């Protein structure tokens, strides 16, 4: 049996750790709640843009646009979003493993990583990312979404890539907390918008013309999508961290309980020992 | 009292405005356009601008708005922009700094992306300053 002091030391170490994990759990749950408020507005914004775009495509005559599906080339670019930090369960490893499988299935694709974890992982695997952006996953803002959107659209406009996909951890629906792939460009339209009978009450005037409006809507659409993805990944990371920290706090509690019992037993036996020694010594003294 | 319509201004981060309005003035590619009640359905792309809203009391209010588009429907007018701010929310000093930073970057002119970025930053900063000055 380990000595009383040793156990005492362990108890204090475990309770220190418990304090830290409990604090991290609180922080993560707060951050998650904060970012959730964006999700709501963004999704309404996004739905309106989506419906405006669908309407535009369904009411105007067919027009070709580089952002619409149906152009040649299969050079893919993957944008992988992971966390910057660890200590969040299998959040990072899930998304990078999923991304790796996807990249191996489509050799010759370019890779852009967001988040230190993904970058380090792909470097270790010998698949050096073509581009990395730092400090973005920590802080999902419109500003960083705009930065990513510009980079992506530039790559696409200069025809360095033909398709852009983003791999992130979903936070909603059936794929909750699972890595998913989403196509950013060319635009993924809900089927081909069915050509509704030309309805004059729904007729829209486009100013200056449909094409210019479409050019303006596409960046908005991608921006909305990008922001949504970033917010979801952020919320997912904190959700995973919250759970990981909660289970480690629980573990710490269990450990403390068993350590306390061990401590009591050790203390008890130490006392018993001491008493036995004293009475033994006493006996010897008496006999003299 | 003039006829009003429901005006909704949305950004990805918040619902900026949702109320009855008499008129709204936006900057389209060749000038300013004022939309009144009962306008024909239309979608127009709007530039970075000083947005003007005439609320139901006939009071003109001004706000900064970045690029986006406006949708006029039978059931209301919707404006979608990336960011939208009231004059009192704009930090003039920050906008001034951003302007200088962007101009400095523009001088260095590296790649096309950076060029476009700096151009947009300058436009945004200048409109922000305009709105905040009007207010003073």
């Amino acid at each position: 049996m380990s000595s009383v002091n040793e156990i005492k030391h362990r108890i204090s170490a475990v309770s220190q750790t418990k304090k830290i994990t409990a604090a991290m759990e609180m922080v993560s749950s707060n951050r998650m709640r904060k970012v959730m408020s964006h999700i709501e507005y963004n999704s309404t914004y996004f739905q309106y843009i989506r419906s405006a775009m669908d309407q535009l495509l369904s009411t105007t005559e067919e027009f070709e646009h580089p952002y619409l599906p149906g152009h040649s080339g299969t050079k893919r670019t993957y944008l992988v979003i992971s966390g910057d930090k660890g200590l969040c369960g299998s959040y990072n490893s899930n998304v990078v493993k999923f991304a790796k499988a996807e990249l191996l299935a489509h050799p010759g694709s370019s890779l852009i990583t967001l988040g230190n974890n993904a970058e380090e992982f792909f470097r270790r695997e010998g698949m050096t990312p073509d581009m990395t952006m730092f400090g973005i996953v920590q802080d999902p803002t419109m500003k960083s979404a705009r930065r990513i959107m510009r980079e992506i659209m530039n790559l696409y406009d200069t025809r360095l890539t033909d398709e852009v996909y983003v791999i992130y951890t979903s936070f909603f629906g059936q794929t909750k907390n699972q890595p998913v792939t989403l196509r950013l460009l060319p635009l993924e339209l809900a089927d081909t918008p069915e050509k509704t009978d030309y309805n004059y009450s729904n007729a829209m005037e486009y100013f200056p013309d449909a094409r210019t409006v479409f050019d303006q809507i596409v960046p908005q659409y991608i921006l909305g999508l990008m922001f949504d993805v970033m917010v979801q990944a952020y919320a997912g990371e904190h959700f995973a961290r919250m759970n990981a920290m909660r289970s480690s706090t629980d573990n710490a509690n269990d450990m403390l309980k068993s350590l306390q019992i061990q401590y009591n037993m050790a203390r008890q036996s130490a006392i018993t020992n001491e008493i036995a020694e004293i009475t033994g010594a006493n006996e010897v003294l008496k006999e003299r | 009292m003039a006829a009003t319509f429901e005006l909704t201004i949305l950004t990805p981060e918040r619902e900026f405005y949702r109320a009855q309005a008499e008129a709204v003035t936006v900057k389209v590619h060749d000038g300013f356009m004022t939309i009144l009640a009962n306008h024909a359905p239309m979608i127009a792309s709007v530039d970075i601008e000083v947005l003007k809203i005439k609320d139901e009391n006939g009071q003109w209010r001004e706000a900064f708005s970045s690029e986006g588009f406006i949708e006029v429907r039978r059931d209301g007018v919707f404006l979608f922009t990336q960011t939208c701010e009231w004059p009192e929310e704009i930090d003039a000093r920050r906008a001034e700094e951003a302007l200088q930073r962007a101009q400095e970057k523009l001088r260095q002119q590296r790649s096309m992306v950076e060029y476009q970025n700096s151009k947009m930053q300058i436009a945004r900063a200048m409109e922000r300053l305009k709105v905040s000055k009007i207010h003073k």
Side-chain angles (χ1 to χ4, degrees):
Chain A
M1 186 155 295
S2 43
S3 79
V4 179
N5 274 335
E6 222 171 275
I7 298 175
K8 220 173 175 176
H9 183 76
R10 281 194 65 194
I11 288 179
S12 78
V14 171
S15 51
Q16 290 285 342
T17 315
K18 190 184 121 186
K19 269 184 205 155
I20 294 171
T21 55
M24 280 177 78
E25 186 195 330
M26 292 271 284
V27 168
S28 284
S29 76
N30 260 333
R31 291 213 172 137
M32 200 177 88
R33 210 166 306 138
K34 218 165 108 191
V35 87
M36 292 289 272
S37 64
H38 287 325
I39 290 180
E40 201 186 317
Y41 290 118
N42 192 48
S43 73
T44 17
Y45 177 82
F46 189 67
Q47 270 163 22
Y48 275 114
I49 289 190
R50 180 95 208 203
S51 74
M53 207 163 74
D54 285 346
Q55 194 177 17
L56 193 151
L57 289 172
S58 65
T59 52
T60 47
E61 322 80 89
E62 208 78 49
F63 68 86
E64 294 238 325
H65 199 282
Y67 295 137
L68 290 176
H71 82 274
S72 56
T74 52
K75 236 182 304 162
R76 289 171 176 229
T77 297
Y78 285 98
L79 189 75
V80 180
I81 304 182
S82 80
D84 268 350
K85 295 179 197 151
L87 288 182
C88 47
S90 56
Y91 171 82
N92 284 317
S93 67
N94 278 350
V95 74
V96 292
K97 271 183 202 149
F98 183 81
K100 191 189 165 195
E102 196 77 7
L103 279 163
L104 289 177
H106 300 96
S109 305
S110 314
L111 172 67
I112 303 175
T113 54
L114 297 183
N116 295 342
N117 241 292
E119 201 218 334
E120 277 161 24
F121 174 83
F122 285 110
R123 270 187 207 287
R124 265 203 310 278
E125 295 285 318
M127 303 154 92
T128 316
D130 298 290
M131 184 155 71
T132 37
M133 293 188 230
F134 296 106
I136 281 181
V137 285
Q138 283 295 319
D139 174 32
T141 55
M142 283 304 289
K143 203 176 150 204
S144 26
R146 207 176 285 148
R147 209 175 111 204
I148 301 170
M149 188 254 309
R150 287 260 152 65
E151 293 287 353
I152 290 170
M153 299 205 46
N154 187 52
L155 283 177
Y156 192 83
D157 288 341
T158 52
R159 312 234 33 184
L160 284 170
T161 186
D162 303 301
E163 289 170 41
V164 183
Y165 292 84
V166 53
I167 296 175
Y168 70 104
T169 307
S170 154
F171 191 65
F172 288 112
Q174 291 185 322
T175 55
K176 189 165 161 70
N177 297 321
Q178 276 167 25
V180 287
T181 314
L182 182 84
R183 192 169 81 186
L184 281 180
L185 279 171
L187 300 176
E188 193 145 28
L189 298 168
D191 314 317
T192 21
E194 70 274 22
K195 293 264 162 211
T196 39
D197 298 326
Y198 199 76
N199 185 344
Y200 282 97
S201 66
N202 282 337
M204 278 277 176
E205 206 184 310
Y206 293 100
F207 190 86
D209 55 67
R211 202 188 170 84
T212 318
V213 172
F214 193 72
D215 281 344
Q216 181 72 281
I217 291 181
V218 172
Q220 303 278 326
Y221 175 81
I222 293 179
L223 187 75
L225 206 60
M226 204 58 233
F227 188 62
D228 182 52
V229 162
M230 278 164 57
V231 165
Q232 278 196 41
Y234 184 83
E237 183 189 341
H238 282 290
F239 183 74
R241 181 163 299 136
M242 200 176 87
N243 281 342
M245 288 304 122
R246 178 173 299 155
S247 67
S248 52
T249 310
D250 290 349
N251 279 345
N253 275 335
D254 290 349
M255 235 161 127
L256 278 180
K257 213 181 271 171
S258 75
L259 278 176
Q260 192 64 46
I261 292 168
Q262 268 184 47
Y263 172 76
N264 289 347
M265 275 160 67
R267 189 170 145 273
Q268 190 66 56
S269 69
I271 292 168
T272 318
N273 255 343
E274 233 164 84
I275 291 174
E277 269 166 34
I278 291 167
T279 46
N282 219 1
E283 289 297 308
V284 175
L285 281 177
K286 258 186 202 163
E287 271 166 33
R288 280 235 177 123
Chain B
M1 211 183 103
T4 59
F5 57 88
E6 186 168 342
L7 176 67
T8 309
I9 301 177
L10 281 175
T11 80
E13 282 165 318
R14 61 177 172 161
E15 190 181 279
F16 179 74
Y17 191 89
R18 185 192 284 269
Q20 292 292 317
E22 271 180 37
V24 58
T25 301
V26 292
K27 188 176 169 193
V28 290
H29 90 123
D30 60 351
F32 287 92
M33 184 187 257
T34 300
I35 292 160
L36 301 172
N38 302 319
H39 193 287
M42 176 194 72
I43 295 182
S45 61
V46 299
D47 288 345
I48 298 168
E49 59 170 350
V50 180
L51 176 77
K52 290 180 187 164
I53 303 163
K54 194 176 187 182
D55 64 21
E56 49 190 334
N57 306 320
Q59 209 74 40
W60 280 101
R61 298 184 71 180
E62 273 159 348
F64 161 79
S65 148
S66 70
E67 68 274 28
F69 68 99
I70 189 162
E71 188 177 354
V72 182
R73 297 203 222 168
R74 301 229 175 269
D75 59 344
V77 175
F78 297 82
L79 178 66
F80 305 96
T81 76
Q82 295 181 5
T83 45
C84 212
E85 287 155 16
W86 293 118
E88 56 269 26
E89 290 166 348
I90 295 173
D91 187 340
R93 190 182 299 155
R94 233 185 82 191
E96 197 112 36
E97 279 168 14
L99 178 65
Q100 266 155 25
R101 235 184 356 255
Q103 279 169 340
E104 180 53 40
K105 256 196 197 155
L106 198 61
R107 263 194 286 282
Q108 294 170 356
Q109 269 195 29
R110 289 206 210 103
S111 65
M112 203 57 204
V113 185
E114 281 178 24
Y115 174 75
Q116 284 163 353
N117 263 338
S118 322
K119 278 281 219 189
M120 295 299 266
Q121 272 161 12
I122 287 176
R124 238 177 270 133
M126 282 170 85
E127 287 299 325
R128 275 207 177 97
L129 284 174
K130 226 191 266 171
V131 173
S132 69
K133 269 174 196 148
I134 289 165
H135 203 61
K136 268 172 198 162

